[in-house]
Amino acid sequence: MSEKLKVLLLDNIDPVSAEILAERGIKGELYSKLTPEELKTHIKDAVGIVVRSATQVDEALLAKAPNLKVVGRAGVGVDNIDIDAATRRGVLVMNTPDGNTISTAEHTCGLILSLVRNIPNAVASLKAGRWDRKKYLGTEVHGKTLGVVGLGKIGSGVAQRMLSFGMHVVGFDPYMTNERARELGIKLVDMDELFASSDIITVHTPLTEKTRNLISKEQSSKLKKGVKLVNCARGGIFNEADLLDMLNDGTVSELALDVYSSEPPTEDMRALLEHPHVVCTPHLGASTEEAQEKVAVQIAHQLADALELKDFKGSINGKSIALSTNAELQPYLKLAEQMGRFCIQLAGWNVKELTIEYTGKCGSHAEVLTDAFLAGYLHQIDEAPVNLINARYLADGKGIRIREIKESSSGTFSELMTVHIGGAEAFSRVSGAVFGDTDFRVVGINSLQIEVQLHGNLIIYKNVDKPGMLAAVSSKLAQEDINIASLSLGRNPANMRAVTAIAIDKPADKQTLEDIAAIDGVEYLTSLSL
């Protein structure tokens, strides 16, 4: 490796990374902090840059780095890296998803124990010269129920540690099988049951539109009175504006926060942070000597391997870059990803097995197309980003079995992708095809011919095949001023059942969906957004 290769190591990354790079013949330049102008100067001749959360690697910075080949994140989150811009420029982006798992899990457990035993307040009281033994009477975690939302590596790690304290653990994770949960000693439940039964709730999910404000005043009536809440995942999963009122009215008895929607927290959070029943730390989940050294070691080796074209472990966009010049494959990659997003919303959770059948020449690319399908299927699975590199690994961790079948061309479509969903409640088979570079469609559901474009808002329902069904559903949508963009109907005269797919101009709300599901003859209904 040429000594001329230079990598910038920013944001106070552990110096061990520079030592490892030097051993690999790469010059690692350590900087605790650079001004934007200084960074643009230093990055001009750099082939790599390693950051934590402070430095923004955006399109403007990438434009100043003509020699850049790799961006490394010493940690999990890549929110501060413009992955699309990097991919367009052929720059590899990688992270270290395992480096801080133990530290964050341990910190979460520490916050739980701090809450139940009033440790921070008791320490402050004694240091102030008081002896308040009765005031800080605590409770045991033994025999209590812990609710874990998100059973990735960190969530599962918290569950395993608190099980050793004698807690009962219930979990919500739509991508984990019951079998895998039982192996971990966790009972899978839906969110309502988790809210109702948990004495303590901890969250370990990414921040998405589905998880934003996961707990707010709207859920107060569902929560067990006096529940304790812990967030070491992402700020915004709890509605911070509602938390103070929920503490004051007794809905929440104790609260522990390590992450915030704005960091550092803004002044309007001061009253919440100073509340006597709140334990708060300044985003310390990954801040241990071991974790910081571990991620520094991992990212240095990963970056050197990538520069030497040896390995691309931890890559976020590696296969995307490798396949970017293969114009013939691009439409099938997009079809596979959209099919994944479609199937997870159609089938629901606790799927045990996915068998993906490729008909025609696309079968020669089955491996990468399955990766693309799983990336779409699991796109909101964990705090770690899901991508073509880690999709199979994450699916395996959830106990989902994957099978691939390749068939020669036959039937109506010369190129077809069919997904068999093991354990699905109502829709167990979906076929999709490409109708052009940007036109991807489902062409069959449950062996019925049906045609659905894979974009926008959809309602799909199974119903008794009798007159008036479509009119009844259309009437409900019209009452809510929801326009139908297109529809497709597949019928099975043998059992008098049909499947109907309706594309609508805007999402239907929960009440509208419940009204449609209640129509006589509608047997199963789901809504999708692609």
Side-chain angles (χ1 to χ4, degrees):
M1 183 72 63
S2 172
E3 288 289 339
K4 294 182 180 179
L5 295 181
K6 182 180 87 170
V7 172
L8 301 183
L9 306 171
L10 308 180
D11 302 343
N12 289 309
I13 188 169
D14 193 291
V16 69
S17 59
E19 298 171 11
I20 291 171
L21 290 174
E23 293 171 0
R24 304 283 294 265
I26 302 169
K27 182 182 180 183
E29 295 186 358
L30 280 164
Y31 297 99
S32 59
K33 187 174 183 180
L34 291 174
T35 67
E37 290 306 314
E38 289 173 336
L39 178 54
K40 289 176 183 178
T41 298
H42 285 291
I43 204 172
K44 285 180 180 179
D45 58 347
V47 297
I49 179 173
V50 176
V51 300
R52 291 176 65 194
S53 58
T55 300
Q56 295 294 316
V57 184
D58 53 22
E59 190 154 17
L61 180 62
L62 292 168
K64 299 291 184 181
N67 301 307
L68 198 65
K69 292 180 172 61
V70 186
V71 176
R73 168 67 163 93
V76 177
V78 289
D79 299 345
N80 56 320
I81 300 172
D82 189 332
I83 296 172
D84 289 338
T87 301
R88 288 194 299 269
R89 292 179 176 275
V91 176
L92 188 71
V93 179
M94 54 177 49
N95 68 346
T96 55
D98 299 330
N100 62 4
T101 298
I102 293 174
S103 291
T104 304
E106 288 183 352
H107 191 69
T108 302
C109 295
L111 290 179
I112 291 172
L113 295 175
S114 293
L115 288 182
V116 299
R117 298 307 301 269
N118 299 306
I119 292 172
N121 287 338
V123 169
S125 172
L126 187 58
K127 286 189 174 184
R130 296 188 295 274
W131 187 257
D132 296 323
R133 290 188 67 195
K134 292 183 179 180
K135 182 177 181 180
Y136 296 116
L137 180 70
T139 60
E140 295 179 352
V141 295
H142 186 276
K144 304 298 192 302
T145 298
L146 174 67
V148 183
V149 182
L151 293 167
K153 289 192 173 183
I154 297 173
S156 295
V158 172
Q160 289 175 308
R161 285 162 175 78
M162 298 316 295
L163 280 167
S164 69
F165 276 80
M167 294 198 78
H168 306 295
V169 179
V170 298
F172 173 81
D173 188 321
Y175 309 98
M176 179 171 279
T177 63
N178 283 319
E179 289 81 359
R180 178 58 177 160
R182 280 195 291 269
E183 289 175 7
L184 297 173
I186 302 167
K187 178 185 177 184
L188 281 184
V189 297
D190 61 26
M191 282 299 299
D192 285 349
E193 183 174 347
L194 186 144
F195 283 161
S197 64
S198 298
D199 300 293
I200 304 170
I201 296 174
T202 179
V203 292
H204 299 282
T205 72
L207 180 64
T208 68
E209 287 309 307
K210 290 186 176 181
T211 61
R212 188 182 301 277
N213 299 327
L214 183 71
I215 294 182
S216 66
K217 286 181 181 178
E218 290 185 14
Q219 289 78 42
S220 291
S221 61
K222 298 180 179 180
L223 293 167
K224 188 172 184 178
K225 188 71 172 179
V227 67
K228 295 173 172 59
L229 302 178
V230 182
N231 186 3
C232 287
R234 292 289 186 271
I237 296 176
F238 296 165
N239 186 317
E240 293 163 348
D242 289 354
L243 290 175
L244 186 60
D245 289 341
M246 295 172 75
L247 281 163
N248 288 333
D249 66 18
T251 300
V252 177
S253 64
E254 310 280 348
L255 170 69
L257 298 173
D258 184 52
V259 291
Y260 312 88
S261 55
S262 295
E263 295 186 359
T266 54
E267 191 59 32
D268 58 2
M269 285 192 66
R270 183 57 44 198
L272 175 65
L273 300 182
E274 292 178 352
H275 193 283
H277 293 162
V278 172
V279 176
C280 47
T281 51
H283 203 153
L284 298 180
S287 293
T288 61
E289 293 178 5
E290 293 86 352
Q292 293 309 307
E293 181 177 350
K294 192 181 299 181
V295 295
V297 169
Q298 287 182 359
I299 199 62
H301 281 302
Q302 288 174 206
L303 189 141
D305 286 343
L307 290 174
E308 295 173 2
L309 304 180
K310 287 183 176 179
D311 194 3
F312 300 95
K313 181 181 178 182
S315 169
I316 302 297
N317 61 347
K319 287 189 179 179
S320 299
I321 292 173
L323 295 166
S324 61
T325 58
N326 189 338
E328 180 183 348
L329 186 56
Q330 289 303 309
Y332 296 100
L333 282 171
K334 187 62 178 177
L335 169 68
E337 181 182 356
Q338 288 298 90
M339 284 278 285
R341 291 174 180 262
F342 182 90
C343 287
I344 184 60
Q345 296 181 69
L346 184 73
W349 61 308
N350 201 28
V351 168
K352 298 176 177 62
E353 182 175 84
L354 293 165
T355 300
I356 307 176
E357 181 180 337
Y358 298 97
T359 302
K361 292 187 294 185
C362 64
S364 61
H365 300 292
E367 181 180 358
V368 70
L369 292 178
T370 298
D371 289 344
F373 172 85
L374 291 172
Y377 189 87
L378 304 173
H379 73 289
Q380 291 181 341
I381 182 176
D382 258 36
E383 292 171 88
V386 59
N387 52 69
L388 294 173
I389 300 294
N390 65 3
R392 286 181 190 253
Y393 170 75
L394 293 173
D396 182 65
K398 299 298 183 186
I400 302 172
R401 296 183 294 276
I402 310 298
R403 291 200 310 136
E404 293 171 354
I405 300 174
K406 302 175 187 178
E407 299 285 352
S408 59
S409 179
S410 64
T412 306
F413 298 94
S414 59
E415 304 283 326
L416 193 67
M417 177 179 177
T418 300
V419 182
H420 304 267
I421 307 166
E425 182 175 347
F427 304 114
S428 59
R429 176 174 171 173
V430 180
S431 296
V434 173
F435 285 78
D437 290 347
T438 59
D439 189 355
F440 317 105
R441 304 181 195 177
V442 165
V443 295
I445 297 178
N446 286 3
S447 301
L448 299 178
Q449 290 187 352
I450 197 166
E451 195 165 301
V452 186
Q453 286 192 312
L454 286 165
H455 70 81
N457 301 296
L458 304 168
I459 293 175
I460 298 178
Y461 59 92
K462 183 179 179 182
N463 61 275
V464 177
D465 190 14
K466 64 179 183 178
M469 291 301 306
L470 186 57
V473 174
S474 301
S475 175
K476 292 292 184 183
L477 293 172
Q479 290 173 15
E480 299 301 322
D481 196 30
I482 298 175
N483 200 30
I484 294 176
S486 65
L487 63 88
S488 182
L489 173 67
R491 305 173 64 198
N492 185 348
N495 65 2
M496 296 297 292
R497 293 296 183 271
V499 173
T500 306
I502 302 177
I504 52 180
D505 285 349
K506 64 180 181 180
D509 62 24
K510 182 179 179 181
Q511 186 59 55
T512 302
L513 295 173
E514 289 178 353
D515 290 345
I516 295 174
I519 293 173
D520 183 38
V522 173
E523 297 179 338
Y524 186 91
L525 176 141
T526 187
S527 64
L528 303 88
S529 180
L530 299 169

